[in-house]
Amino acid sequence: MIKEQKVPAINSIQVIRGLACVLVVLHHGGENTKIIFDIPFLFDFFKFGYAALDIFFVLSGFIITYTSMPHIGEKENLGNFLKRRFVRIYPIYWLIISGFLVVQALVPAYYKTLYPLEFSTLLSTYLILPQHIMVNGVSWSLTYEIFFYLLFPMAFLIKSKKLLVVILSVCTLSLLIFTLFFSANVEMGKVLFLVAFPMNIEFLMGVFAAILYTHIPPKYSVHYIITGLVLFCIGSALINYDLNMMRLLVNRIFYFGIPSMLIIMGVAVFESNGKTKKFPRILIDLGDASYSLYLLHLPVLVALLKIVQMKGITNAVLIQVLLVVFIIAICFGSILFYKKVERPLVRRINRLLHAKSSTKYRKEQNK
């Protein structure tokens, strides 16, 4: 039986995660308001909001590396890592996706995606395979998250951290060269496109952030945060005005990936040196509930906006006010869902797996 070594929580990272998820919700709210009503939400200010996914990708690389650092080079932890990642992603995803499919069947007027109910389609959707048909419009990113989770365990097989850094550097450089000089496209095939996807670099940025942040002098932490925020704002402005230097996915690495890495490194150093004050509980809760919020928000938003449309409401100001109310309600609803459903479900499954592992360990010791 493997005893895990816990690492201190970094609350500021949770706050970033929660705020990033709210940014995604604002982006999708504005996008769908424009589609359904042809009304720009807050002058299309949150057009850049999809950049929150770049933050998520860097955050994932950081968090996984940060929490796994005590076990790097310990191959016996590989299975435990994969089990915990599976429990983190799949059970709540299955529950929510199944719920949306049931709602679609019962009230198609409010939520209809023309989702083909075929075995192969359902299988690829429930397994989150590359280029699966989405029920909720956001699960494509989970495919890359899972791909990263499947690659990361090599860290448990390489005992030399220096060798691990060299391998990561070679992978990052190779992917960056491919990204800059070639174009990843669907015609490459699902697997090759998955491997060559430019935003995979952002996961690796997160890994480097977790490795490097401990070497940053505390006095420079604020400089990293401010530089990252300024670059992120510049990238957001460029995206809002459709000013793309390169292909969109490549732009995102430079516009949002690098700034996110700087911000995350900065706040990690800042908090680890005891400079962070207590955050409002709502921000921590949003961070904790970010996965539920991410999976729930889009279909619920679309359904609510369609109800507004069916009620014949056309006043632009009223529609935008209602959208803000919907977004606030969805955020609080997701926090409640996390506390009452997601967290208890994940804890229960982890306890069952731990009990099974303990029983197996005792049997092996008694042989």
Side-chain angles (χ1 to χ4, degrees), residues 312-332:
I313 298 173
T314 57
N315 183 277
V317 175
L318 179 56
I319 289 170
Q320 293 187 70
V321 170
L322 287 172
L323 178 57
V324 171
V325 172
F326 294 157
I327 288 172
I328 293 172
I330 289 170
C331 287
F332 279 99

Side-chain angles (χ1 to χ4, degrees), residues 247-274:
R247 297 185 306 276
L248 178 61
L249 289 177
V250 181
N251 274 329
R252 292 177 67 165
I253 297 170
F254 294 96
Y255 284 5
F256 305 118
I258 293 174
S260 296
M261 179 181 176
L262 293 174
I263 294 168
I264 290 165
M265 290 171 72
V267 299
V269 174
F270 195 80
E271 182 167 338
S272 63
N273 284 276

Side-chain angles (χ1 to χ4, degrees), residues 353-364:
L353 290 174
H354 179 73
K356 186 176 180 180
S357 177
S358 299
T359 302
K360 183 179 178 182
Y361 175 79
R362 285 194 297 270
K363 287 182 178 178
E364 289 175 353

Side-chain angles (χ1 to χ4, degrees), residues 108-329:
Y110 297 100
Y111 180 63
K112 185 68 176 176
T113 62
L114 302 177
Y115 183 85
L117 293 173
E118 301 169 356
F119 177 76
S120 59
T121 306
L122 287 168
L123 184 64
S124 66
T125 298
Y126 274 79
L127 293 180
I128 322 180
L129 298 180
Q131 298 173 35
H132 64 278
I133 297 176
M134 294 178 286
V135 174
N136 63 353
V138 300
S139 58
W140 67 269
S141 64
L142 298 181
T143 300
Y144 299 97
E145 190 93 10
I146 292 166
F147 177 60
F148 171 67
Y149 290 163
L150 293 175
L151 288 181
F152 188 83
M154 76 174 182
F156 297 112
L157 304 177
I158 301 172
K159 292 191 175 182
S160 170
K161 291 185 180 180
K162 289 183 179 179
L163 177 59
L164 180 62
V165 171
V166 171
I167 293 172
L168 286 169
S169 300
V170 171
C171 291
T172 304
L173 184 61
S174 301
L175 189 53
L176 183 60
I177 291 171
F178 182 89
T179 296
L180 291 174
F181 294 98
F182 301 94
S183 177
N185 56 71
V186 181
E187 293 177 1
M188 297 170 63
K190 293 181 179 180
V191 176
L192 190 55
F193 181 70
L194 175 67
V195 174
F197 188 63
M199 290 168 70
N200 285 333
I201 293 173
E202 294 176 335
F203 286 115
L204 297 174
M205 286 179 177
V207 174
F208 281 115
I211 294 171
L212 296 175
Y213 90 95
T214 55
H215 302 286
I216 298 173
K219 63 181 180 180
Y220 293 127
S221 60
V222 176
H223 297 79
Y224 274 74
I225 297 170
I226 293 174
T227 303
L229 287 172
V230 169
L231 291 175
F232 195 92
C233 290
I234 292 172
S236 301
L238 291 173
I239 288 296
N240 276 5
Y241 287 102
D242 297 316
L243 298 174
N244 297 312
M245 295 187 298
M246 292 167 277
R247 297 185 306 276
L248 178 61
L249 289 177
V250 181
N251 274 329
R252 292 177 67 165
I253 297 170
F254 294 96
Y255 284 5
F256 305 118
I258 293 174
S260 296
M261 179 181 176
L262 293 174
I263 294 168
I264 290 165
M265 290 171 72
V267 299
V269 174
F270 195 80
E271 182 167 338
S272 63
N273 284 276
K275 295 183 180 181
T276 306
K277 303 297 182 183
K278 284 190 175 182
F279 292 101
R281 186 67 235 178
I282 183 65
L283 295 180
I284 302 295
D285 285 343
L286 276 172
D288 291 340
S290 57
Y291 186 45
S292 288
L293 177 57
Y294 185 65
L295 292 177
L296 288 167
H297 78 273
L298 183 53
V300 175
L301 262 180
V302 172
L304 291 171
L305 289 173
K306 285 186 176 179
I307 292 173
V308 172
Q309 183 186 41
M310 292 169 68
K311 294 296 182 180
I313 298 173
T314 57
N315 183 277
V317 175
L318 179 56
I319 289 170
Q320 293 187 70
V321 170
L322 287 172
L323 178 57
V324 171
V325 172
F326 294 157
I327 288 172
I328 293 172

